[in-house]
């Protein structure tokens, strides 16, 4: 099989730390849960950079370091 060949640049497959795709949804929270409690609870699974807590609807989003975590 013959044909033209192309030299493609090498892809960078490294995952970016704290990208927008690394958010974790946590539901069924109590009304009195704090950001510090959530960060402490999930710290064994990776670094948490920020937390958004909706106390009225009892859920939170945590921004974690890598998607695999």
């Amino acid at each position: 099989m013959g044909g033209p060949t192309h030299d493609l640049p090498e892809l960078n497959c490294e995952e970016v730390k704290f990208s927008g795709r690394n958010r974790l949804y946590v539901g069924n929270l109590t009304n009195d849960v704090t950001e510090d409690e959530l960060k402490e609870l999930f710290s064994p699974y990776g670094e948490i950079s920020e937390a958004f807590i909706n106390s009225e609807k009892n859920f939170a989003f945590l921004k974690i370091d890598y998607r695999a975590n």
Side-chain angles (χ1 to χ4, degrees):
M1 188 177 261
T5 60
H6 299 282
D7 291 329
L8 298 175
E10 195 171 312
L11 292 176
N12 182 4
C13 296
E14 292 182 23
E15 188 174 2
V16 177
K17 191 173 185 178
F18 296 118
S19 75
R21 299 189 69 192
N22 300 342
R23 290 184 298 163
L24 176 67
Y25 171 81
V26 183
N28 297 327
L29 298 173
T30 61
N31 291 344
D32 59 348
V33 70
T34 65
E35 183 176 334
D36 291 334
E37 289 173 332
L38 281 175
K39 284 184 176 183
E40 183 180 336
L41 183 65
F42 286 92
S43 65
Y45 305 105
E47 186 180 344
I48 309 296
S49 71
E50 60 187 64
F52 168 78
I53 300 172
N54 186 326
S55 298
E56 293 177 8
K57 296 188 178 181
N58 301 330
F59 73 89
F61 281 106
L62 303 175
K63 193 168 190 181
I64 57 175
D65 53 2
Y66 296 105
R67 187 173 174 93
N69 290 341

